[in-house]
Amino acid sequence: MRGDLAAPPAPGTAGCPKHMEYGPCGGVESTGRCEVADHACSFLTLAPVAWHGSPAASTERARMEADPAGVPSPPGAAQRMRDLVRERPIVVADFPARALDAASLSECAAAVAASVDAVLAGDAGTARVQFPPAYRAALLRAAGVEPWMGVNTRDRNRVALEAEAAALAHADAAGVHCITGDHTRIGSRPDAAPVFDLDSTELAALMRRAGQLVSVAEAPLSPPVEARPGRLLVKQQAGAEICFVNHAGGVDNVARFVAEARTLGVTMGFIPCVPVIVDAGSAALIRGFTSLALPEGFLDSILAADDVREAGIAAAIELSLRMLDIPGVVGVDLSGGAAAGQELDFAQAEAQIAQGLRERVAV
Ligand code: SF4
């Protein structure tokens, strides 16, 4: 046991507030404390759970085939994105639009459409209620950007997730980012009941069976650090093709994590998160990310600059270039979010970063 943390009620799934089968989640605190409960993470001392299939897998196809519409056709955008990733590094941007605001979505999409290869649209602790992923994917596609949709297992059970998989295929999503998600006790809706019928690894399998290009997240610095590469291998065995690498304190930590994962047999492409900080509001928002670790001095030097916006854009470009040099890295994710009212400005900053990258490297 680390420090004076209480032992979990039971090891593994039974002691996990998210009932994870393939834990631990990325929210384990640096002390080993659970993301939500006042005890150690129940997976802290366990080896990665070997992939043994999803409880939804055995009968899911039969259920989908029982429907008159049958199994959904794989989205064409997924294959186009796979082809693009093989061709050159890609630039993905966290999508900053105001939640539930179609006009904000359209103007932010227009700001980045010519500059980034896809937008990653999920939720945030400050805005848990979003348009459903497939509906938002359709809006984003109509607005001219490739939608890479975040889907979590906190808000939907396996039945709703199967429906979402079919709808995302119909909406022609370019990618589906499968996460377990923060517990409802973290963020703006602690009144909601947490679901966690599946976890991120099981969701990856479900989405892959539906023909999606599946990405997952991994947090290299979240305990147990030594087990993170092996856990990623399990996600690959479940069907993941891309790993978004959470903020891990800088290039060296990302490079070490990628190398260790590849040594274990992980062949998926890696897309590290690059922090986008262009004002005090975006700095405050990124500080709220669970398991956040920024390069030393990164945030302070930006905020101390005479022109914070320009300093943040330049820093993101430089860090992206260094990330792209890591073997196995297939792109970068411009990561962060905007303070209320600054969504369009943030999207424009992301577009400037992407354009700046294109002037320096063939992305
Ligand atoms: S930190 Fe995450 S995986 Fe670990 S017990 Fe808590 S909720 Fe479960």
Side-chain angles (χ1 to χ4, degrees):
M1 185 52 53
R2 303 178 187 208
D4 53 3
L5 285 172
T13 306
C16 172
K18 298 181 184 173
H19 318 299
M20 292 187 72
E21 179 72 18
Y22 299 95
C25 70
V28 188
E29 296 182 2
S30 59
T31 59
R33 183 185 182 277
C34 171
E35 175 186 287
V36 286
D38 194 18
H39 56 64
C41 170
S42 62
F43 289 92
L44 199 58
T45 57
L46 304 182
V49 179
W51 175 242
H52 52 269
S54 160
S58 57
T59 55
E60 178 186 323
R61 180 160 290 273
R63 285 199 303 274
M64 290 178 116
E65 286 174 347
D67 185 281
V71 177
S73 301
Q79 190 54 48
R80 292 198 300 276
M81 188 58 69
R82 287 188 189 99
D83 294 343
L84 185 61
V85 168
R86 273 193 282 272
E87 192 181 307
R88 62 164 173 79
I90 63 170
V91 180
V92 181
D94 284 7
F95 194 62
R98 191 164 171 252
L100 310 179
D101 186 334
S104 173
L105 180 148
S106 292
E107 66 178 12
C108 288
V112 298
S115 307
V116 306
D117 295 301
V119 296
L120 181 60
D123 69 0
T126 51
R128 289 288 185 229
V129 184
Q130 301 277 345
F131 286 141
Y135 178 64
R136 195 151 48 139
L139 292 178
L140 287 166
R141 177 158 297 293
V145 293
E146 291 291 329
W148 198 312
M149 303 311 300
V151 179
N152 69 67
T153 65
R154 175 192 58 237
D155 300 328
R156 292 171 176 81
N157 68 13
R158 68 188 72 184
V159 174
L161 290 167
E162 287 170 27
E164 199 65 59
L168 283 164
H170 191 252
D172 203 20
V176 178
H177 188 52
C178 299
I179 62 169
T180 303
D182 299 333
H183 198 279
T184 53
R185 283 181 235 163
I186 296 172
S188 63
R189 293 306 300 267
D191 58 311
V195 179
F196 299 121
D197 187 22
L198 302 177
D199 64 20
S200 58
T201 307
E202 294 165 330
L203 178 60
L206 186 158
M207 289 294 175
R208 185 65 186 272
R209 287 193 297 276
Q212 305 287 353
L213 168 60
V214 171
S215 65
V216 291
E218 199 53 67
L221 297 189
S222 291
V225 170
E226 63 283 359
R228 293 287 165 183
R231 183 165 183 264
L232 185 60
L233 179 63
V234 176
K235 289 182 176 181
Q236 176 175 285
Q237 290 162 346
E241 300 168 85
I242 296 284
C243 173
F244 283 80
V245 185
N246 286 9
H247 301 282
V251 176
D252 291 347
N253 289 340
V254 172
R256 191 175 311 117
F257 170 73
V258 171
E260 288 175 7
R262 282 158 59 99
T263 299
L264 288 180
V266 173
T267 55
M268 68 175 86
F270 291 84
I271 300 183
C273 292
V274 171
V276 177
I277 299 158
V278 290
D279 54 22
S282 54
L285 195 134
I286 208 166
R287 278 191 180 111
F289 284 19
T290 53
S291 73
L292 176 75
L294 298 181
E296 200 173 335
F298 188 88
L299 194 148
D300 291 340
S301 64
I302 292 170
L303 293 180
D306 290 337
D307 188 330
V308 170
R309 194 173 191 283
E310 286 306 312
I313 289 170
I317 292 171
E318 291 305 320
L319 185 56
S320 295
L321 290 170
R322 296 182 62 207
M323 291 292 190
L324 290 172
D325 276 343
I326 299 171
V329 165
V330 299
V332 289
D333 174 42
L334 307 181
S335 170
Q342 298 302 309
E343 294 86 3
L344 178 57
D345 183 72
F346 190 88
Q348 290 167 337
E350 290 182 315
Q352 275 184 258
I353 294 165
Q355 291 289 0
L357 271 173
R358 291 190 196 288
E359 290 165 11
R360 304 272 295 275
V361 67
V363 292

